[in-house]
């Protein structure tokens, strides 16, 4: 028991002295960044203007219009992507834009190439311009058709210069509603994905917004910005951070993943901008949209291996992380994050920065996260060991004494006790032949000795107070101090 107590105390100090492990995956947005996507939508508008003033003429033109750009994230290895509806179906009337362009070009009038309806000074031309705007009627002077193309650019290295053509599986009625896209992920169907949460709990306060402000590459990775809900779980950002969120939206954060900073899971999608306020569509609505599109979010083999490598990497076990990261690249050779972390791991493996090389050297006790000074923990450990040792010494001494007493009473010719002062003395029995009672120390046993077995009829002299054996010419007991000649 005392040995176990000492070991437990030393073990407690050892735990205090261990380096704090990275609390992976909690707080690590690296779980999410490989699944980041840039989403771009554009339309091709084919318009025909009809002029019947002198003779019937048809003036045909085709215009490419960039509708919107934003962010998104992959939720299945075979290429299902989530973004905001306003990225793929913006609130812009392309037929109005085409009418302005074609009318200005044909009639040589000054009309802005925008999405607003305008007028011109010439009454006859103004009638024709208004008839060119939608909706189409029997008197319309223009006929337009719109074809929208959506392109996704996953975060890969090297990047895909032309991206991947995306099909819109479903989109909502509101700009903030989730839109579900599908791209051709290639023959292996192993695009990196993001971990999806189930709800925004009332405890979620700190979040990260993952923005793809440009087409991704090794030099243009996803950008992470921290924000806070006020109150927690409300999906409303703190007043002091609303301007920052608006600027992120202007920079391309529409459709961005909103990440729970505590669990490193996607819990919403960001939307807003222009006349629309910034808002977060929660993850349960995202899951509902996926179900409506016939999709179940899931992770792939490349994600499983990558997270194993990520655990070693963030614990600074670079030598252990390198081969696992290499396995990630075997599954997906253009995995951008794995490529970067493999480079770092190979450079730091076996160096002083590799935690595996520090196991044989003492590690200073770090201050806990609560801000308590490290000397308090060290002092507490010393006190703990002192208390264990103090409790163990009396137990060991008592055990040793009992063992020696048993040795003293094991026979008539027993050895002298060496742990106490030499107090052995014999005296003559006043009445030869009379048995002598040998009184053992406390905890010992009594036995009757035969004076015939001890030459000269000698017996041993003991203290009448505590029973300790007395030595030659001892006037006082060396153990309890009682006079040796006292009754």
């Amino acid at each position: 028991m005392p040995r176990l107590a000492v070991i437990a105390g030393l073990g407690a100090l050892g735990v205090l002295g261990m380096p704090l492990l990275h609390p992976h995956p909690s707080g690590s947005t690296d779980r999410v960044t490989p699944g980041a996507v840039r989403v771009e939508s554009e339309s091709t508008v084919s318009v025909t203007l009809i002029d019947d003033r002198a003779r019937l003429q048809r003036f045909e033109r085709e215009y490419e219009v960039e509708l919107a750009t934003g962010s998104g994230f992959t939720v299945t290895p075979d290429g299902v992507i989530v973004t905001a509806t306003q990225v793929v179906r913006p609130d812009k009337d392309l037929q109005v834009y085409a009418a302005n362009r074609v009318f200005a070009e044909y009639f040589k009038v000054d009309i802005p190439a925008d999405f607003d309806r305008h007028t011109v000074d010439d009454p006859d031309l103004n009638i024709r311009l208004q008839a060119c705007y939608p909706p189409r009627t029997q008197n319309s002077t223009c006929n337009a058709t719109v074809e929208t193309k959506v392109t996704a650019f996953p975060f890969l290295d090297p990047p895909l210069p032309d991206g991947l053509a995306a099909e819109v599986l479903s989109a909502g009625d509101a700009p903030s509603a989730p839109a579900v896209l599908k791209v051709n992920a290639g023959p292996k169907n192993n695009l990196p994905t993001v971990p999806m949460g189930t709800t925004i709990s009332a405890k979620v306060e700190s979040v990260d917004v993952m923005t793809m402000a440009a087409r991704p590459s090794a030099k243009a990775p996803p950008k992470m910005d921290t924000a806070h809900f006020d109150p927690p779980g409300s999906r409303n950002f703190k007043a002091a951070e609303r301007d920052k969120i608006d600027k992120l939206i202007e920079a391309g954060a529409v459709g961005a993943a909103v990440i729970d900073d505590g669990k490193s899971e996607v819990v919403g999608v960001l939307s807003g901008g222009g006349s629309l306020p910034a808002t977060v569509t929660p993850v349960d609505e995202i899951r509902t949209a996926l179900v409506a599109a016939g999709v179940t979010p899931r992770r792939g083999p490349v994600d499983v291996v990558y997270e194993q490598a990520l655990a070693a990497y963030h614990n600074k076990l670079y030598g252990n992380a390198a081969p696992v990261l290499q396995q990630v690249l075997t599954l997906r050779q253009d995995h951008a994050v794995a490529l970067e972390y493999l480079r770092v791991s190979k450079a730091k493996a076996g160096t002083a920065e590799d935690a595996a090389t520090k196991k044989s050297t003492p590690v200073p006790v770090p201050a806990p996260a609560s801000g308590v000074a490290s000397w308090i923990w060290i002092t507490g450990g010393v006190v703990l060991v002192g208390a264990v040792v103090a409790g163990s010494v009396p137990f060991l001494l008592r055990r040793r004494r009992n063992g020696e007493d048993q040795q003293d009473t094991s026979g008539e010719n027993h050895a002298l006790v060496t742990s106490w002062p030499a107090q052995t003395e014999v005296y003559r029995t006043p009445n030869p032949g009379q048995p002598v009672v040998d009184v053992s120390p406390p905890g010992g046993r009594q036995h009757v000795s035969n004076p015939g077995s001890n030459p000269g009829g000698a017996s041993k002299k003991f203290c009448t107070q505590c029973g300790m054996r007395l030595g030659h010419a001892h006037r006082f007991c060396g153990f309890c101090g009682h006079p040796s000649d006292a009754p």
Side-chain angles (χ1 to χ4, degrees):
M1 286 297 296
R3 293 181 180 178
L4 293 177
V6 173
I7 293 174
L10 295 177
L13 278 184
V15 171
L16 292 175
M18 289 177 60
L20 295 178
L21 297 180
H22 177 81
H24 179 78
S26 176
S28 173
T29 56
D30 289 346
R31 297 183 69 206
V32 188
T33 49
V37 179
R38 166 82 167 179
V39 181
E40 298 179 357
S41 62
E42 62 180 8
S43 293
T44 301
V45 186
S46 299
V47 59
T48 301
L49 184 147
I50 301 173
D51 181 11
D52 59 353
R53 290 177 301 174
R55 59 187 179 89
L56 185 63
Q57 297 187 61
R58 294 178 178 272
F59 186 72
E60 298 180 354
R61 284 293 183 267
E62 187 175 273
Y63 305 107
E64 291 186 357
V65 185
E66 181 179 305
L67 295 180
T69 59
S71 305
F73 47 93
T74 308
V75 296
T76 67
D78 60 349
V80 175
I81 297 170
V82 173
T83 186
T85 292
Q86 68 182 97
V87 177
V88 296
R89 291 184 181 174
D91 188 17
K92 297 177 180 179
D93 195 334
L94 294 175
Q95 294 186 18
V96 171
Y97 172 86
N100 291 334
R101 289 284 304 271
V102 72
F103 207 88
E105 186 176 353
Y106 182 79
F107 289 106
K108 310 299 181 183
V109 293
D110 187 14
I111 300 176
D114 56 20
F115 298 89
D116 297 327
R117 297 172 183 261
H118 300 281
T119 60
V120 293
D121 295 335
D122 187 314
D124 180 62
L125 288 182
N126 188 58
I127 292 174
R128 293 178 179 278
L129 174 61
Q130 302 308 315
C132 191
Y133 289 135
R136 185 181 180 185
T137 66
Q138 293 181 347
N139 298 322
S140 293
T141 58
C142 294
N143 180 24
T145 59
V146 180
E147 181 180 352
T148 301
K149 181 176 70 172
V150 179
T151 307
F153 297 85
F155 179 37
L156 301 174
D157 187 17
L160 302 176
D162 298 325
L164 299 173
E167 174 189 1
V168 180
L169 298 182
S170 68
D173 296 331
S176 60
V180 181
L181 318 179
K182 178 70 170 63
V183 300
N184 183 1
K188 292 185 178 180
N189 284 336
N190 61 350
L191 282 174
T193 67
V194 302
M196 291 280 291
T198 56
T199 187
I200 300 180
S201 71
K203 296 181 180 180
V204 175
E205 179 180 10
S206 178
V207 295
D208 296 291
V209 178
M210 183 173 67
T211 306
M212 288 300 306
R215 293 183 178 182
S217 67
K219 296 182 179 180
K223 184 174 180 292
M224 291 289 180
D225 291 274
T226 303
H228 300 83
F229 290 146
D230 184 22
S234 66
R235 294 155 44 195
N236 297 320
F237 294 105
K238 285 186 176 180
E241 297 177 338
R242 291 172 187 169
D243 289 342
K244 178 177 74 172
I245 298 299
D246 290 338
K247 291 180 180 179
L248 292 178
I249 290 176
E250 293 177 1
V254 176
V258 178
I259 306 163
D260 180 355
D261 196 41
K263 294 184 178 180
S264 300
E265 296 176 341
V266 175
V267 293
V269 61
L270 182 67
S271 64
S275 60
L276 302 174
T279 184
V280 176
T281 302
V283 66
D284 49 354
E285 293 187 22
I286 297 175
R287 288 184 174 273
T288 300
L290 290 171
V291 171
V295 176
T296 301
R298 57 188 175 86
R299 316 291 312 272
V302 67
D303 303 310
V304 176
V305 180
Y306 168 71
E307 291 209 0
Q308 293 175 355
L310 200 62
Y313 181 86
H314 279 293
N315 284 321
K316 297 185 178 181
L317 298 171
Y318 299 111
N320 297 345
V324 189
L325 288 167
Q326 187 63 60
Q327 181 63 27
V328 175
L329 297 175
T330 301
L331 297 172
R332 184 85 202 190
Q333 63 182 3
D334 52 2
H335 194 292
V337 184
L339 279 168
E340 173 62 17
Y341 285 176
L342 178 61
R343 182 188 65 79
V344 175
S345 296
K346 286 183 175 179
K348 294 184 177 182
T351 67
E353 295 185 62
D354 194 335
T357 64
K358 300 179 182 180
K359 293 183 178 180
S360 59
T361 59
V363 180
V365 179
S370 60
V372 181
S374 60
W375 67 267
I376 296 180
W377 291 87
I378 297 174
T379 304
V382 173
V383 172
L384 174 62
V385 173
V388 172
V389 173
S392 303
V393 169
F395 182 88
L396 294 174
L397 291 177
R398 184 166 62 252
R399 180 177 178 183
R400 183 175 181 181
R401 175 183 171 188
N402 291 340
E404 290 171 346
D405 290 344
Q406 291 176 3
Q407 181 180 1
D408 287 342
T409 59
S410 60
E412 295 180 359
N413 297 320
H414 52 271
L416 300 179
V417 178
T418 58
S419 60
W420 304 103
Q423 304 180 86
T424 305
E425 182 57 69
V426 298
Y427 63 94
R428 297 293 179 183
T429 304
N431 299 318
Q434 181 180 358
V436 177
V437 177
D438 184 1
V439 182
S440 299
R445 60 184 177 86
Q446 295 182 347
H447 66 276
V448 179
S449 62
N450 188 343
S453 62
N454 195 358
S459 182
K460 298 172 184 175
K461 187 177 180 182
F462 295 93
C463 175
T464 59
Q465 178 69 19
C466 67
M468 179 58 65
R469 193 181 316 151
L470 301 178
H472 178 68
H474 278 196
R475 298 179 57 191
F476 297 93
C477 176
F479 186 73
C480 68
H482 194 72
S484 61
D485 54 355

